[in-house]
Amino acid sequence: MARTQLQHAKSGKITAAMRRVAERENRKPEFVRKQVADGQAVIPNNNAHESLDPMIIGKEFSTKVNANIGNSDTTSTLQGELQKLHTAVHYGADTVMDLSTGDDLDEIREANVEHSPVPIGTVPIYEAIKQAESPADITHELLLDIIEKQAEQGVDYMTIHAGVLMEHLPLTDGRKTGIVSRGGSILAQWIEENGMQNPLYTKFEEICDIFAEHDVTFSLGDGFRPGCLADASDEAQFAELETLGELTRTAWEHGVQVMVEGPGHVPMDEIEDNVERQQEVCDGAPFYVLGPLVTDVAPGYDHITSAIGATEAARAGAAMLCYVTPKEHLGLPDKDDVRDGLAAYRIAAHAADVATGLPGARDWDDALSEARYEFDWRRQFELALDSERAQAYHDQTLPGDNYKDARFCSMCGVEFCSMRIDQDARNADGEMSAIDDETDLSVSVAADVNLPPVGTHDTSRIPEKIEIDGVTFTPESHADD
């Protein structure tokens, strides 16, 4: 059986994936190896994912962002899903989760793995409910078969809701929004109707064996995560967390990498305590958080309510942020929602890296600020997190090439541009010195995700063309339609 990244790390071996990660993070390979060996970081890297450009998730590294995509019973096609995948990677997703619940699940999953340079995650319980007539009809054998199949298909990490236990279900009774996790609600119904313990819990060691064979990483799901501020930090959430701590240690004993998923809706003042509790209970395993959303009042803008919480969580030690799009709670995201969600979360992740003093993280900010002060509009666009949108907004009012050298924009105009006024004052004979700063990003020690452009991955092993139903297309051509 092939050894996992964790097993290699514990044996003292630095793998090719660890060396690639060290290169992307500007860290020493030995530091990467030790972080993985200690369970403080994970490199999701299924042996069968040939197109993968390895990355790392851990609080000592740059904050990562996951993008959720996937179809539903009523919406999206394989071509649409591949377009969303490309959009996610193009705008800086470090991992992508395929949460499809509609048709053609195997075809979509295999296509995502084949065409993704970033790790692909899944939630196997979704496919189980598709195959069974009802949640109660899901069998232990069906779950294990699906998990093994997805591992063989090349999935790099899977959300396994093994912490939803029979004895903890009553703790959710007094909640305002009950169980909001799809996986958690399915398993709760299974437990209630069968009168048995969670099959993902009872079969956890067998799942570990499957994961160890293929080097799949656990993303231990938070099936009791709070779905509103009123339910945050309650007994149900923390009872599950204690179980996830136990499961983390069990997975490590089997040589399997682990990250732990965190709460969805949490008031701002409780976020730091939530992160610190997870780190203590789960022995420092990487924390992967959804948001958290810091208020419940903004449907249509939950990419903002959650990005606020995401920055705070990452500053406190969360290692990866699961993005939220403007469609959260309202509908299935399309590729434009993917773009907006990723922009919000790349900002959140970068802001946290700057705040925690990650080496080189602020160099990007400094370089863009210098270009802004010098009215180097082309350089500003080049450095912007979303270059296309930055230029499009500028060109809505000042589209001509002559305005790319102008010392003003349409917000203040010629007479009231503060930077032009400041420059003129400094260039005149006076007491203020001229500003002459230049940040050279080519020598920055920042990790790849904290340098422009976002979405920089090695895509050399990905097919350039995709054929679906006899039609050949290039997903790049659809990213900005």
Side-chain angles (χ1 to χ4, degrees), residues 292-328:
L293 286 73
V294 297
T295 180
D296 300 332
V297 302
Y301 298 92
D302 279 335
H303 60 312
I304 298 173
T305 66
S306 61
I308 294 168
T311 302
E312 179 68 7
R315 191 184 66 82
M320 186 161 75
L321 312 174
C322 183
Y323 87 160
V324 172
T325 77
K327 288 272 182 65
E328 186 75 10

Side-chain angles (χ1 to χ4, degrees), residues 372-385:
R372 179 177 289 150
Y373 186 76
E374 292 298 324
F375 297 103
D376 188 342
W377 294 102
R378 291 180 177 83
R379 180 64 172 159
Q380 279 194 65
F381 303 150
E382 178 185 327
L383 292 174
L385 181 138

Side-chain angles (χ1 to χ4, degrees), residues 121-135:
T122 60
V123 186
I125 194 72
Y126 295 172
E127 184 175 355
I129 195 66
K130 287 288 291 183
Q131 293 192 26
E133 293 185 5
S134 71

Side-chain angles (χ1 to χ4, degrees), residues 25 27 35 39-43 55-64 259 279 284-287 317-320 353 358:
E25 296 284 334
R27 298 297 185 93
Q35 285 285 300
Q40 308 301 287
V42 297
I43 302 176
M55 52 79 71
I56 194 166
I57 301 165
K59 68 179 180 180
E60 295 299 324
F61 301 94
S62 56
T63 304
K64 302 306 189 299
M259 56 184 169
Q279 290 290 277
F287 203 16
M320 186 161 75
D353 286 346
L358 195 72

Side-chain angles (χ1 to χ4, degrees), residues 91-394:
Y91 289 108
D94 298 294
T95 77
V96 171
M97 290 202 77
D98 174 11
L99 305 186
S100 294
T101 58
D103 296 327
D104 304 320
L105 297 184
D106 285 321
E107 185 180 17
I108 288 173
R109 188 181 309 117
E110 290 170 354
N112 280 335
V113 170
E114 182 182 6
H115 294 94
S116 177
V118 304
I120 294 292
T122 60
V123 186
I125 194 72
Y126 295 172
E127 184 175 355
I129 195 66
K130 287 288 291 183
Q131 293 192 26
E133 293 185 5
S134 71
D137 293 325
I138 296 172
T139 66
H140 297 69
E141 292 74 23
L142 176 62
L143 281 170
L144 292 175
D145 287 347
I146 288 172
I147 289 169
E148 185 166 24
K149 178 186 68 174
Q150 293 191 6
E152 291 171 349
Q153 289 171 326
V155 170
D156 300 287
Y157 66 97
M158 298 185 203
T159 294
I160 302 295
H161 297 91
V164 176
L165 299 188
M166 176 188 292
E167 55 267 37
H168 297 150
L169 290 183
L171 299 177
T172 67
D173 290 345
R175 284 182 157 190
K176 192 176 290 292
T177 55
I179 300 173
V180 300
S181 159
R182 286 194 293 194
S185 65
I186 291 167
L187 287 162
Q189 183 178 350
W190 189 95
I191 292 169
E192 287 285 337
E193 296 190 13
N194 288 285
M196 298 169 61
Q197 186 58 279
N198 180 350
L200 293 175
Y201 180 79
T202 59
K203 294 293 184 180
F204 189 76
E205 292 198 65
E206 292 180 47
I207 298 171
C208 287
D209 291 338
I210 295 171
F211 278 22
E213 181 178 355
H214 301 276
D215 201 358
V216 177
T217 297
F218 273 110
S219 187
L220 292 177
D222 51 341
F224 289 156
R225 70 172 178 266
C228 64
L229 300 189
D231 297 340
S233 306
D234 69 355
E235 287 185 273
Q237 178 190 334
F238 290 150
E240 180 185 31
L241 180 61
E242 292 292 334
T243 304
L244 298 184
E246 297 170 10
L247 295 173
T248 294
R249 290 181 281 277
T250 298
W252 284 342
E253 290 171 1
H254 285 74
V256 180
Q257 301 181 96
V258 182
M259 56 184 169
V260 178
E261 297 185 12
H265 295 242
V266 180
M268 178 80 83
D269 58 304
E270 296 180 18
I271 291 174
E272 184 176 4
D273 288 343
N274 268 259
V275 176
E276 291 177 352
R277 181 187 286 252
Q278 182 275 340
Q279 290 290 277
E280 179 179 354
V281 171
C282 300
D283 296 340
F287 203 16
Y288 166 30
V289 297
L290 175 68
L293 286 73
V294 297
T295 180
D296 300 332
V297 302
Y301 298 92
D302 279 335
H303 60 312
I304 298 173
T305 66
S306 61
I308 294 168
T311 302
E312 179 68 7
R315 191 184 66 82
M320 186 161 75
L321 312 174
C322 183
Y323 87 160
V324 172
T325 77
K327 288 272 182 65
E328 186 75 10
H329 304 115
L330 302 172
L332 186 72
D334 60 21
K335 59 186 178 62
D336 292 327
D337 300 314
V338 170
R339 177 180 184 176
D340 290 344
L342 271 166
Y345 271 71
R346 280 261 60 101
I347 294 166
H350 180 72
D353 286 346
V354 171
T356 56
L358 195 72
R362 211 192 72 185
D363 291 348
W364 185 2
D365 302 78
D366 292 346
L368 194 145
S369 297
E370 291 155 12
R372 179 177 289 150
Y373 186 76
E374 292 298 324
F375 297 103
D376 188 342
W377 294 102
R378 291 180 177 83
R379 180 64 172 159
Q380 279 194 65
F381 303 150
E382 178 185 327
L383 292 174
L385 181 138
D386 186 337
S387 300
E388 297 95 334
R389 182 162 292 180
Q391 180 164 353
Y393 281 0
H394 173 272

Side-chain angles (χ1 to χ4, degrees), residues 409-439:
C409 72
S410 63
M411 183 173 181
C412 297
V414 179
E415 297 300 323
F416 288 92
C417 178
S418 59
M419 289 189 179
R420 182 197 60 76
I421 294 169
D422 184 75
Q423 281 185 6
D424 289 347
R426 291 179 186 278
N427 290 334
D429 292 334
E431 297 183 358
M432 294 192 299
S433 301
I435 296 174
D436 185 23
D437 285 333
E438 183 176 357
T439 300

